[in-house]
Amino acid sequence: MPRTHLVLDAAFTVGPVRRRLFGGFVEHLGRHVYDGIHEPTHETADEHGFRKDVVELVKELGVSAIRYPGGNFVSGYKWEDGVGPVEQRPRRLDLAWHSTETNEVGLHEFQHWLDQVGSELMLAVNLGTRGTQEAIELLEYANIDAGTALSEYRRSNGRQEPFAIKMWCLGNEMDGPWQLGHKNADDYGKLAAMTAKAMRQIQPDLELVACGSSGASMPTFGEWERTVLEHTYDDVDYISAHAYYEEDDDLPSFLASGANMDHFIKTVTTAADHVQAQKKSDKRIDISFDEWNVWSIKKWEAKAKTFTLDEWPVAPRLLEDVYTVADAVVVGGLLISLLRHADRVASASLAQLVNVIGPIMTEPGGPAWRQTTFFPFSVTSRLAQGTSLQVKASGDTVDGGKHGEVPVVDSAATVTEDGKAAVFLVNRHPSEPTTVTIDLAGIGATGDVHAEGVWDDDLHAVNDL
């Protein structure tokens, strides 16, 4: 039986665990919004049409800040379409996902939903088909109290108090050729810097996120970050990171996905610190890992449909992965990686929340339920508090496929000022249990010990309808 020994010491820390590390992501994509969080005819729907059973599950999941409304969707989105009387809002073609957007849910409705689940709004602006002017108009509409045309328009739409949105994303995946308004790093960097400067002329204390690479496999990865930050370093607070992982008939590599996320984070922070040194700046840029999850991308691409000119469905079933126990193990490992880098990852968003590669699934007119990936996220969000510790680990390794030999047990730990400790573990061995011993002397922990786990004899067991 493989063995692992862990040593925890309160003197060796990574950094504080910021609540935004347990964020989520809601995009107007497939059945995420419509028939997902919003279904006016459902028996649990509130007065605004949002499913209360989904609200309760999202609260249980424990997400903090939620990124909205995209994603690829935002690069073709006109925010004005989602405000004002619902019955007067236009139906639009969503080119990102070849769907029809009804605009029944917009900024006001989504804020109502966030108030129910207790999460902060992290708003993305369209820098694909739009630009600086539209971004500052949205900021004025959302955050100025009163006395201007756009703030008064918000008040006339029923929101007297400002939305007070603090964190803003300057576009989405602008390095991707699939993105509406795709740009090279130089052009995007100039636009992002110009937009950030303009937004800060309205509200200097905003927290702004520049687009990093849409994945480590992009040919411009690393160089993109460097170029973008050379333009934006003084004007933004974070650079984004996106990463998705899939089994793809390679279970050893899949179970070791956290090793890849570790390398990804180190590469992005190295690029950011390089620009910091170049600029001789005292300011540090941290990471907003605002898209991460397990996603069967290749299966999706293999069966992606070619639509005709007349086919623009409303809320089609898209990207509805059914997650396995192996997927849950990997999600646990990715959460461990985020905790291990809590000093540089300021925010992270599980992509996404409901139906669309989500930990929560719904059926129209029917139930909502937890997928396997729900459990590692909910328990980590609940228990990871205080300070992330440097876990000193020794023990056996296991084949990590393309990642080489990796520790058979991946681990992270947190401790609060009053001595409450939590240790997060995943067993990467596909068939054998592992014995783990933990030396707690360095944190002075006393009292009861409680353990929770997610497992099944069948690595591909699922929770389905």
Side-chain angles (χ1 to χ4, degrees):
M1 180 183 292
R3 295 182 177 275
T4 295
H5 181 70
L6 308 178
V7 179
L8 308 185
D9 192 322
F12 298 99
T13 64
V14 175
V17 178
R18 292 170 269 196
R19 280 303 305 160
R20 283 180 181 160
L21 203 64
F22 305 105
F25 177 30
V26 171
E27 181 173 3
H28 284 248
L29 193 179
R31 293 195 311 120
H32 197 160
V33 175
Y34 309 115
D35 279 353
I37 67 174
H38 187 264
E39 188 183 343
T41 58
H42 196 270
E43 63 180 6
T44 70
D46 68 9
E47 70 276 14
H48 295 281
F50 291 101
R51 288 181 56 155
K52 294 179 182 177
D53 58 344
V54 175
V55 166
E56 290 306 311
L57 285 177
V58 174
K59 288 167 65 176
E60 180 186 339
L61 188 65
V63 290
S64 50
I66 298 181
R67 182 169 171 249
Y68 174 86
N72 294 349
F73 172 80
V74 79
S75 291
Y77 183 53
K78 298 179 66 175
W79 67 266
E80 303 93 331
D81 290 346
V83 300
V86 174
E87 64 277 7
Q88 296 178 18
R89 295 180 190 175
R91 292 165 69 93
R92 300 285 191 191
L93 300 182
D94 167 24
L95 276 62
W97 301 107
H98 207 98
S99 305
T100 294
E101 172 56 49
T102 66
N103 285 303
E104 294 170 70
V105 172
L107 180 58
H108 290 256
E109 292 79 17
F110 192 69
Q111 183 63 62
H112 164 80
W113 184 77
L114 288 172
D115 292 341
Q116 309 313 302
V117 302
S119 297
E120 175 191 3
L121 176 57
M122 176 180 173
L123 194 62
V125 300
N126 178 357
L127 292 189
T129 57
R130 311 188 90 187
T132 302
Q133 182 64 41
E134 291 83 2
I136 59 175
E137 288 173 355
L138 175 55
L139 176 58
E140 179 186 331
Y141 180 91
N143 283 12
I144 294 298
D145 183 20
T148 69
L150 287 169
S151 62
E152 292 299 331
Y153 181 40
R154 182 199 71 242
R155 292 166 66 91
S156 73
N157 287 331
R159 176 88 182 192
Q160 298 303 303
E161 299 297 321
F163 288 96
I165 303 163
K166 195 69 179 289
M167 194 167 184
W168 297 71
C169 301
L170 303 174
N172 174 76
E173 293 187 351
M174 299 309 300
D175 64 323
W178 57 85
Q179 199 74 205
L180 285 172
H182 159 65
K183 297 170 177 61
N184 62 39
D186 199 50
D187 289 343
Y188 167 72
K190 291 175 182 177
L191 175 60
M194 181 169 62
T195 303
K197 285 182 171 71
M199 293 177 74
R200 291 198 190 281
Q201 285 183 248
I202 296 175
Q203 187 173 344
D205 65 345
L206 294 176
E207 297 179 53
L208 302 179
V209 184
C211 285
S213 297
S214 52
S217 63
M218 296 297 290
T220 54
F221 176 53
E223 180 64 18
W224 172 276
E225 280 76 5
R226 182 189 66 78
T227 303
V228 167
L229 286 175
E230 283 176 349
H231 287 290
T232 63
Y233 201 92
D234 296 331
D235 304 308
V236 303
D237 303 281
Y238 313 109
I239 185 82
S240 73
H242 292 181
Y244 295 98
Y245 300 92
E246 60 184 320
E247 184 172 341
D248 195 27
D249 299 321
D250 182 1
L251 184 61
S253 296
F254 184 52
L255 293 175
S257 294
N260 177 272
M261 181 180 269
D262 287 338
H263 179 69
F264 191 174
I265 291 169
K266 290 174 183 176
T267 302
V268 174
T269 54
T270 297
D273 292 348
H274 171 73
V275 178
Q276 180 187 24
Q278 274 187 320
K279 291 182 172 290
K280 300 179 176 59
S281 174
D282 294 329
K283 175 183 176 180
R284 191 181 76 177
I285 296 291
D286 285 337
I287 293 175
S288 173
F289 216 124
D290 50 39
E291 286 190 33
W292 71 269
N293 203 351
V294 171
W295 174 18
S296 299
I297 302 175
K298 291 181 181 176
K299 290 181 181 178
W300 151 253
E301 291 175 340
K303 63 180 181 181
K305 181 180 177 183
T306 301
F307 291 89
T308 68
L309 186 62
D310 298 326
E311 289 182 281
W312 296 89
V314 174
R317 290 180 182 261
L318 298 175
L319 281 60
E320 298 194 8
D321 282 18
V322 178
Y323 287 119
T324 67
V325 170
D327 294 329
V329 171
V330 172
V331 166
L334 298 175
L335 285 161
I336 284 171
S337 181
L338 293 172
L339 285 172
R340 191 158 42 233
H341 298 280
D343 58 329
R344 297 304 299 268
V345 181
S347 174
S349 304
L350 178 68
Q352 297 188 13
L353 285 184
V354 180
N355 290 328
V356 176
I357 56 173
I360 298 168
M361 295 295 291
T362 71
E363 187 65 17
W369 66 96
R370 305 165 187 82
Q371 293 224 66
T372 61
T373 55
F374 182 100
F375 301 102
F377 190 99
S378 64
V379 74
T380 309
S381 175
R382 175 163 47 90
L383 296 178
Q385 300 178 28
T387 301
S388 176
L389 299 179
Q390 297 178 27
V391 179
K392 304 301 180 183
S394 60
D396 293 313
T397 61
V398 68
D399 175 23
K402 60 189 177 185
H403 307 299
E405 288 289 313
V406 295
V408 66
V409 170
D410 198 12
S411 58
T414 60
V415 66
T416 62
E417 288 186 359
D418 58 357
K420 292 180 181 177
V423 182
F424 306 92
L425 309 168
V426 296
N427 178 16
R428 288 166 165 161
H429 202 290
S431 59
E432 293 186 31
T434 301
T435 296
V436 180
T437 58
I438 307 174
D439 182 344
L440 302 174
I443 60 172
T446 60
D448 296 332
V449 174
H450 176 67
E452 298 182 38
V454 181
W455 70 91
D456 197 280
D457 290 336
D458 177 5
L459 297 184
H460 295 99
V462 303
N463 290 342
D464 58 20
L465 177 58

Short mmCIF file of all heavy atoms in Angstrom, two decimals, residues 77 169 262:
data_model
loop_
_atom_site.label_atom_id
_atom_site.label_comp_id
_atom_site.label_asym_id
_atom_site.label_seq_id
_atom_site.Cartn_x
_atom_site.Cartn_y
_atom_site.Cartn_z
N TYR A 77 -21.88 41.07 -26.95
CA TYR A 77 -23.03 41.47 -26.12
C TYR A 77 -23.16 42.99 -26.03
O TYR A 77 -22.18 43.70 -25.82
CB TYR A 77 -22.85 40.88 -24.72
CG TYR A 77 -23.98 41.15 -23.77
CD1 TYR A 77 -25.30 40.84 -24.10
CD2 TYR A 77 -23.72 41.69 -22.51
CE1 TYR A 77 -26.33 41.06 -23.20
CE2 TYR A 77 -24.75 41.92 -21.59
CZ TYR A 77 -26.05 41.61 -21.94
OH TYR A 77 -27.07 41.83 -21.04
N CYS A 169 -13.78 42.58 -15.66
CA CYS A 169 -12.92 41.88 -16.62
C CYS A 169 -12.90 42.66 -17.93
O CYS A 169 -13.96 42.95 -18.50
CB CYS A 169 -13.43 40.46 -16.89
SG CYS A 169 -13.51 39.43 -15.42
N ASP A 262 -0.22 23.81 -11.59
CA ASP A 262 0.92 24.40 -10.87
C ASP A 262 1.89 25.08 -11.84
O ASP A 262 2.33 26.21 -11.62
CB ASP A 262 1.68 23.32 -10.09
CG ASP A 262 0.93 22.83 -8.87
OD1 ASP A 262 0.07 23.56 -8.37
OD2 ASP A 262 1.21 21.70 -8.43
#
